[in-house]
Amino acid sequence: MPKLKLTYFDFDGGRGEPARLALHLGGIAFEDRRIPFKDWDAHRDAMPFRALPVLEVEGTVVSQSNSINRYVGKLAGLYPEDELQALLCDEVMDAIEDMDTPIGNTMDLPAEAKKKAREKLAAGLIPHYLGQIAARLAAAGGEYFADRRLTVGDLKVWMMVRWLRSGVLDYMPKDLVDGVAPVLVKHAACLAAQPQIAAYYARRKAS
Ligand SMILES: N[C@@H](CCC(=O)N[C@@H](CS)C(=O)NCC(=O)O)C(=O)O
């Protein structure tokens, strides 16, 4: 196994968490480098695209969350070998990026502009994407997005659903997913209840 170092922010979510979780689930040793938000300014310029996550593979530095997810998914056995199933996995991961970017762009807006931008997203793009993603889950059998088993695609969707339902995004109703795409809430609950995943977050909480 190559020597791996995954750098992301110090919280259990976001663009870096699917890869982090996949590595844990695959039992793959890696350096889990967590940068506190307060220290980010000092690290930003050292990152290839001034953003995280970043993965170092035997010293080669690579960015872009979905590329990292695919690579790590292959190492961990959490990425489909079948091309079509891999395509379905990629489709949902990229759809989540289409949601992540506009939400991310609201983070540093002043309060009034943030309210306006988030209310617009909550009335348009977000429910549309949630509906489309839910339809893909149903088409794939209702349990997983691809390969009828857990893949990094499931982990990526779950992180978005968890974020939207957490209530940390002001002006974004935390019951939005429940109303528009209840199957994604069920999907999230099923993932959270998987013994290896539940044990991982229990360990995180205790640490
Ligand atoms: N396309 C990139 C986007 C990376 C990105 O925007 N990451 C955010 C965190 S989730 C970040 O580093 N934000 C800090 C900043 O922009 O200063 C990816 O998929 O990895």
Side-chain angles (χ1 to χ4, degrees):
M1 206 44 84
K3 188 167 180 278
L4 302 172
K5 176 162 88 174
L6 180 63
T7 304
Y8 193 59
F9 293 108
D10 189 14
F11 76 108
D12 294 337
R15 284 186 174 97
E17 186 71 358
R20 205 148 52 186
L21 183 53
L23 287 166
H24 280 290
L25 296 177
I28 295 167
F30 71 107
E31 184 184 337
D32 185 358
R33 182 182 178 212
R34 293 167 177 260
I35 296 186
F37 285 117
K38 66 175 178 48
D39 298 341
W40 174 232
D41 281 348
H43 292 278
R44 186 186 285 108
D45 287 347
M47 302 301 158
F49 294 97
R50 298 200 181 96
L52 297 177
V54 163
L55 181 69
E56 228 175 290
V57 185
E58 298 285 357
T60 298
V61 178
V62 189
S63 70
Q64 301 304 326
S65 56
N66 285 345
S67 303
I68 293 171
N69 290 340
R70 271 185 289 277
Y71 175 77
V72 159
K74 286 173 196 168
L75 296 183
L78 293 171
Y79 187 74
E81 284 180 20
D82 175 85
E83 281 82 3
L84 176 57
Q85 295 305 314
L87 180 60
L88 295 174
C89 178
D90 288 350
E91 184 191 28
V92 289
M93 292 202 295
D94 288 343
I96 294 298
E97 275 305 299
D98 283 359
M99 299 169 75
D100 237 320
T101 302
I103 299 173
N105 289 343
T106 67
M107 288 301 178
D108 296 329
L109 292 176
E112 245 333 284
K114 183 184 282 188
K115 181 172 186 293
K116 213 172 147 199
R118 291 214 176 141
E119 283 175 353
K120 190 172 174 213
L121 285 172
L125 184 141
I126 302 296
H128 177 70
Y129 268 69
L130 289 172
Q132 288 294 321
I133 292 167
R136 273 146 189 77
L137 181 64
E143 202 176 351
Y144 298 111
F145 283 95
D147 232 10
R148 295 197 179 267
R149 67 187 178 95
L150 184 73
T151 69
V152 282
D154 296 287
L155 301 181
K156 178 116 184 172
V157 173
W158 178 30
M159 292 310 142
M160 173 57 74
V161 167
R162 204 162 72 171
W163 193 32
L164 290 172
R165 297 182 77 232
S166 68
V168 299
L169 291 165
D170 293 336
Y171 319 115
M172 198 78 91
K174 61 189 248 189
D175 59 356
L176 190 57
V177 188
D178 302 56
V180 176
V183 289
L184 297 183
V185 176
K186 192 172 159 226
H187 171 260
C190 288
L191 261 57
Q194 292 201 2
Q196 237 192 318
I197 294 179
Y200 170 69
Y201 284 116
R203 281 200 306 279
R204 288 281 311 144
K205 213 169 160 188
S207 68

PDB file of all heavy atoms in Angstrom, residues 109-130:
ATOM      1  N   LEU A 109     -20.241  35.800   2.588  1.00  0.00           N
ATOM      2  CA  LEU A 109     -21.051  36.968   2.213  1.00  0.00           C
ATOM      3  C   LEU A 109     -21.530  37.702   3.461  1.00  0.00           C
ATOM      4  O   LEU A 109     -21.742  37.079   4.514  1.00  0.00           O
ATOM      5  CB  LEU A 109     -22.286  36.510   1.418  1.00  0.00           C
ATOM      6  CG  LEU A 109     -22.061  35.921   0.018  1.00  0.00           C
ATOM      7  CD1 LEU A 109     -23.397  35.436  -0.577  1.00  0.00           C
ATOM      8  CD2 LEU A 109     -21.428  36.959  -0.911  1.00  0.00           C
ATOM      9  N   PRO A 110     -21.753  39.015   3.351  1.00  0.00           N
ATOM     10  CA  PRO A 110     -22.376  39.725   4.468  1.00  0.00           C
ATOM     11  C   PRO A 110     -23.802  39.200   4.704  1.00  0.00           C
ATOM     12  O   PRO A 110     -24.409  38.637   3.781  1.00  0.00           O
ATOM     13  CB  PRO A 110     -22.413  41.182   3.995  1.00  0.00           C
ATOM     14  CG  PRO A 110     -21.781  41.230   2.657  1.00  0.00           C
ATOM     15  CD  PRO A 110     -21.423  39.851   2.216  1.00  0.00           C
ATOM     16  N   ALA A 111     -24.310  39.386   5.915  1.00  0.00           N
ATOM     17  CA  ALA A 111     -25.551  38.718   6.341  1.00  0.00           C
ATOM     18  C   ALA A 111     -26.711  38.849   5.337  1.00  0.00           C
ATOM     19  O   ALA A 111     -27.354  37.855   4.993  1.00  0.00           O
ATOM     20  CB  ALA A 111     -25.966  39.232   7.707  1.00  0.00           C
ATOM     21  N   GLU A 112     -26.978  40.070   4.864  1.00  0.00           N
ATOM     22  CA  GLU A 112     -28.147  40.268   3.981  1.00  0.00           C
ATOM     23  C   GLU A 112     -27.977  39.523   2.657  1.00  0.00           C
ATOM     24  O   GLU A 112     -28.904  38.858   2.160  1.00  0.00           O
ATOM     25  CB  GLU A 112     -28.355  41.764   3.703  1.00  0.00           C
ATOM     26  CG  GLU A 112     -29.639  42.374   4.251  1.00  0.00           C
ATOM     27  CD  GLU A 112     -30.837  41.434   4.426  1.00  0.00           C
ATOM     28  OE1 GLU A 112     -31.465  41.104   3.406  1.00  0.00           O
ATOM     29  OE2 GLU A 112     -31.160  41.027   5.565  1.00  0.00           O
ATOM     30  N   ALA A 113     -26.772  39.645   2.090  1.00  0.00           N
ATOM     31  CA  ALA A 113     -26.488  38.977   0.808  1.00  0.00           C
ATOM     32  C   ALA A 113     -26.512  37.458   0.995  1.00  0.00           C
ATOM     33  O   ALA A 113     -26.990  36.716   0.124  1.00  0.00           O
ATOM     34  CB  ALA A 113     -25.133  39.425   0.288  1.00  0.00           C
ATOM     35  N   LYS A 114     -26.026  36.998   2.145  1.00  0.00           N
ATOM     36  CA  LYS A 114     -26.027  35.556   2.429  1.00  0.00           C
ATOM     37  C   LYS A 114     -27.468  35.043   2.504  1.00  0.00           C
ATOM     38  O   LYS A 114     -27.810  34.009   1.936  1.00  0.00           O
ATOM     39  CB  LYS A 114     -25.302  35.301   3.759  1.00  0.00           C
ATOM     40  CG  LYS A 114     -25.183  33.830   4.103  1.00  0.00           C
ATOM     41  CD  LYS A 114     -24.548  33.617   5.459  1.00  0.00           C
ATOM     42  CE  LYS A 114     -23.046  33.796   5.410  1.00  0.00           C
ATOM     43  NZ  LYS A 114     -22.373  33.417   6.653  1.00  0.00           N
ATOM     44  N   LYS A 115     -28.308  35.804   3.199  1.00  0.00           N
ATOM     45  CA  LYS A 115     -29.719  35.414   3.345  1.00  0.00           C
ATOM     46  C   LYS A 115     -30.363  35.280   1.963  1.00  0.00           C
ATOM     47  O   LYS A 115     -30.997  34.268   1.646  1.00  0.00           O
ATOM     48  CB  LYS A 115     -30.443  36.478   4.181  1.00  0.00           C
ATOM     49  CG  LYS A 115     -31.909  36.204   4.450  1.00  0.00           C
ATOM     50  CD  LYS A 115     -32.435  37.251   5.454  1.00  0.00           C
ATOM     51  CE  LYS A 115     -33.863  36.994   5.905  1.00  0.00           C
ATOM     52  NZ  LYS A 115     -34.869  37.140   4.891  1.00  0.00           N
ATOM     53  N   LYS A 116     -30.142  36.294   1.129  1.00  0.00           N
ATOM     54  CA  LYS A 116     -30.744  36.298  -0.205  1.00  0.00           C
ATOM     55  C   LYS A 116     -30.245  35.109  -1.044  1.00  0.00           C
ATOM     56  O   LYS A 116     -31.025  34.379  -1.667  1.00  0.00           O
ATOM     57  CB  LYS A 116     -30.363  37.623  -0.903  1.00  0.00           C
ATOM     58  CG  LYS A 116     -31.424  38.134  -1.837  1.00  0.00           C
ATOM     59  CD  LYS A 116     -31.081  39.523  -2.340  1.00  0.00           C
ATOM     60  CE  LYS A 116     -31.620  39.648  -3.753  1.00  0.00           C
ATOM     61  NZ  LYS A 116     -31.029  40.709  -4.523  1.00  0.00           N
ATOM     62  N   ALA A 117     -28.937  34.916  -1.017  1.00  0.00           N
ATOM     63  CA  ALA A 117     -28.340  33.848  -1.841  1.00  0.00           C
ATOM     64  C   ALA A 117     -28.793  32.468  -1.362  1.00  0.00           C
ATOM     65  O   ALA A 117     -29.131  31.593  -2.168  1.00  0.00           O
ATOM     66  CB  ALA A 117     -26.818  33.956  -1.786  1.00  0.00           C
ATOM     67  N   ARG A 118     -28.837  32.290  -0.048  1.00  0.00           N
ATOM     68  CA  ARG A 118     -29.202  30.960   0.474  1.00  0.00           C
ATOM     69  C   ARG A 118     -30.688  30.683   0.267  1.00  0.00           C
ATOM     70  O   ARG A 118     -31.075  29.553  -0.038  1.00  0.00           O
ATOM     71  CB  ARG A 118     -28.833  30.866   1.950  1.00  0.00           C
ATOM     72  CG  ARG A 118     -27.330  30.845   2.136  1.00  0.00           C
ATOM     73  CD  ARG A 118     -26.905  29.987   3.285  1.00  0.00           C
ATOM     74  NE  ARG A 118     -25.455  29.919   3.358  1.00  0.00           N
ATOM     75  CZ  ARG A 118     -24.766  29.927   4.485  1.00  0.00           C
ATOM     76  NH1 ARG A 118     -25.398  30.000   5.647  1.00  0.00           N
ATOM     77  NH2 ARG A 118     -23.459  29.839   4.462  1.00  0.00           N
ATOM     78  N   GLU A 119     -31.518  31.723   0.428  1.00  0.00           N
ATOM     79  CA  GLU A 119     -32.954  31.506   0.207  1.00  0.00           C
ATOM     80  C   GLU A 119     -33.210  31.133  -1.256  1.00  0.00           C
ATOM     81  O   GLU A 119     -34.046  30.294  -1.558  1.00  0.00           O
ATOM     82  CB  GLU A 119     -33.745  32.750   0.613  1.00  0.00           C
ATOM     83  CG  GLU A 119     -33.868  32.845   2.130  1.00  0.00           C
ATOM     84  CD  GLU A 119     -34.535  34.122   2.636  1.00  0.00           C
ATOM     85  OE1 GLU A 119     -34.798  35.040   1.809  1.00  0.00           O
ATOM     86  OE2 GLU A 119     -34.776  34.209   3.853  1.00  0.00           O
ATOM     87  N   LYS A 120     -32.442  31.754  -2.144  1.00  0.00           N
ATOM     88  CA  LYS A 120     -32.588  31.435  -3.572  1.00  0.00           C
ATOM     89  C   LYS A 120     -32.164  29.972  -3.828  1.00  0.00           C
ATOM     90  O   LYS A 120     -32.857  29.232  -4.528  1.00  0.00           O
ATOM     91  CB  LYS A 120     -31.709  32.408  -4.388  1.00  0.00           C
ATOM     92  CG  LYS A 120     -31.946  32.330  -5.859  1.00  0.00           C
ATOM     93  CD  LYS A 120     -31.228  33.424  -6.625  1.00  0.00           C
ATOM     94  CE  LYS A 120     -31.402  33.165  -8.118  1.00  0.00           C
ATOM     95  NZ  LYS A 120     -30.266  33.579  -8.904  1.00  0.00           N
ATOM     96  N   LEU A 121     -31.059  29.575  -3.244  1.00  0.00           N
ATOM     97  CA  LEU A 121     -30.601  28.184  -3.422  1.00  0.00           C
ATOM     98  C   LEU A 121     -31.627  27.200  -2.844  1.00  0.00           C
ATOM     99  O   LEU A 121     -31.922  26.160  -3.453  1.00  0.00           O
ATOM    100  CB  LEU A 121     -29.258  27.976  -2.710  1.00  0.00           C
ATOM    101  CG  LEU A 121     -28.017  28.574  -3.377  1.00  0.00           C
ATOM    102  CD1 LEU A 121     -26.812  28.449  -2.458  1.00  0.00           C
ATOM    103  CD2 LEU A 121     -27.749  27.869  -4.711  1.00  0.00           C
ATOM    104  N   ALA A 122     -32.157  27.550  -1.668  1.00  0.00           N
ATOM    105  CA  ALA A 122     -33.093  26.647  -0.990  1.00  0.00           C
ATOM    106  C   ALA A 122     -34.418  26.528  -1.740  1.00  0.00           C
ATOM    107  O   ALA A 122     -35.165  25.554  -1.559  1.00  0.00           O
ATOM    108  CB  ALA A 122     -33.344  27.136   0.436  1.00  0.00           C
ATOM    109  N   ALA A 123     -34.699  27.519  -2.600  1.00  0.00           N
ATOM    110  CA  ALA A 123     -35.951  27.480  -3.355  1.00  0.00           C
ATOM    111  C   ALA A 123     -35.745  26.923  -4.766  1.00  0.00           C
ATOM    112  O   ALA A 123     -36.706  26.639  -5.470  1.00  0.00           O
ATOM    113  CB  ALA A 123     -36.533  28.896  -3.456  1.00  0.00           C
ATOM    114  N   GLY A 124     -34.476  26.785  -5.182  1.00  0.00           N
ATOM    115  CA  GLY A 124     -34.231  26.407  -6.574  1.00  0.00           C
ATOM    116  C   GLY A 124     -33.274  25.250  -6.733  1.00  0.00           C
ATOM    117  O   GLY A 124     -33.668  24.084  -6.781  1.00  0.00           O
ATOM    118  N   LEU A 125     -32.003  25.578  -6.797  1.00  0.00           N
ATOM    119  CA  LEU A 125     -31.002  24.559  -7.142  1.00  0.00           C
ATOM    120  C   LEU A 125     -30.985  23.373  -6.169  1.00  0.00           C
ATOM    121  O   LEU A 125     -30.977  22.218  -6.598  1.00  0.00           O
ATOM    122  CB  LEU A 125     -29.607  25.205  -7.196  1.00  0.00           C
ATOM    123  CG  LEU A 125     -28.462  24.296  -7.641  1.00  0.00           C
ATOM    124  CD1 LEU A 125     -27.490  25.060  -8.553  1.00  0.00           C
ATOM    125  CD2 LEU A 125     -27.690  23.692  -6.471  1.00  0.00           C
ATOM    126  N   ILE A 126     -31.040  23.664  -4.883  1.00  0.00           N
ATOM    127  CA  ILE A 126     -30.876  22.570  -3.905  1.00  0.00           C
ATOM    128  C   ILE A 126     -32.021  21.546  -3.998  1.00  0.00           C
ATOM    129  O   ILE A 126     -31.762  20.344  -4.154  1.00  0.00           O
ATOM    130  CB  ILE A 126     -30.722  23.112  -2.461  1.00  0.00           C
ATOM    131  CG1 ILE A 126     -29.510  24.059  -2.360  1.00  0.00           C
ATOM    132  CG2 ILE A 126     -30.598  21.979  -1.442  1.00  0.00           C
ATOM    133  CD1 ILE A 126     -28.159  23.444  -2.615  1.00  0.00           C
ATOM    134  N   PRO A 127     -33.287  21.985  -3.931  1.00  0.00           N
ATOM    135  CA  PRO A 127     -34.340  20.964  -4.055  1.00  0.00           C
ATOM    136  C   PRO A 127     -34.333  20.248  -5.401  1.00  0.00           C
ATOM    137  O   PRO A 127     -34.624  19.052  -5.470  1.00  0.00           O
ATOM    138  CB  PRO A 127     -35.651  21.749  -3.845  1.00  0.00           C
ATOM    139  CG  PRO A 127     -35.294  23.183  -3.865  1.00  0.00           C
ATOM    140  CD  PRO A 127     -33.837  23.295  -3.587  1.00  0.00           C
ATOM    141  N   HIS A 128     -33.969  20.977  -6.461  1.00  0.00           N
ATOM    142  CA  HIS A 128     -33.904  20.313  -7.772  1.00  0.00           C
ATOM    143  C   HIS A 128     -32.862  19.196  -7.755  1.00  0.00           C
ATOM    144  O   HIS A 128     -33.133  18.070  -8.179  1.00  0.00           O
ATOM    145  CB  HIS A 128     -33.572  21.331  -8.867  1.00  0.00           C
ATOM    146  CG  HIS A 128     -33.433  20.708 -10.215  1.00  0.00           C
ATOM    147  ND1 HIS A 128     -34.513  20.188 -10.901  1.00  0.00           N
ATOM    148  CD2 HIS A 128     -32.346  20.450 -10.986  1.00  0.00           C
ATOM    149  CE1 HIS A 128     -34.090  19.654 -12.039  1.00  0.00           C
ATOM    150  NE2 HIS A 128     -32.777  19.809 -12.118  1.00  0.00           N
ATOM    151  N   TYR A 129     -31.684  19.511  -7.253  1.00  0.00           N
ATOM    152  CA  TYR A 129     -30.625  18.493  -7.204  1.00  0.00           C
ATOM    153  C   TYR A 129     -30.996  17.343  -6.270  1.00  0.00           C
ATOM    154  O   TYR A 129     -30.755  16.175  -6.577  1.00  0.00           O
ATOM    155  CB  TYR A 129     -29.293  19.136  -6.774  1.00  0.00           C
ATOM    156  CG  TYR A 129     -28.473  19.581  -7.956  1.00  0.00           C
ATOM    157  CD1 TYR A 129     -28.878  20.643  -8.759  1.00  0.00           C
ATOM    158  CD2 TYR A 129     -27.299  18.923  -8.302  1.00  0.00           C
ATOM    159  CE1 TYR A 129     -28.138  21.044  -9.856  1.00  0.00           C
ATOM    160  CE2 TYR A 129     -26.549  19.311  -9.403  1.00  0.00           C
ATOM    161  CZ  TYR A 129     -26.965  20.368 -10.176  1.00  0.00           C
ATOM    162  OH  TYR A 129     -26.227  20.748 -11.266  1.00  0.00           O
ATOM    163  N   LEU A 130     -31.581  17.669  -5.124  1.00  0.00           N
ATOM    164  CA  LEU A 130     -31.968  16.603  -4.185  1.00  0.00           C
ATOM    165  C   LEU A 130     -32.956  15.654  -4.843  1.00  0.00           C
ATOM    166  O   LEU A 130     -32.864  14.430  -4.692  1.00  0.00           O
ATOM    167  CB  LEU A 130     -32.574  17.206  -2.912  1.00  0.00           C
ATOM    168  CG  LEU A 130     -31.597  17.936  -1.981  1.00  0.00           C
ATOM    169  CD1 LEU A 130     -32.364  18.639  -0.864  1.00  0.00           C
ATOM    170  CD2 LEU A 130     -30.552  16.973  -1.395  1.00  0.00           C
TER     171      LEU A 130
END
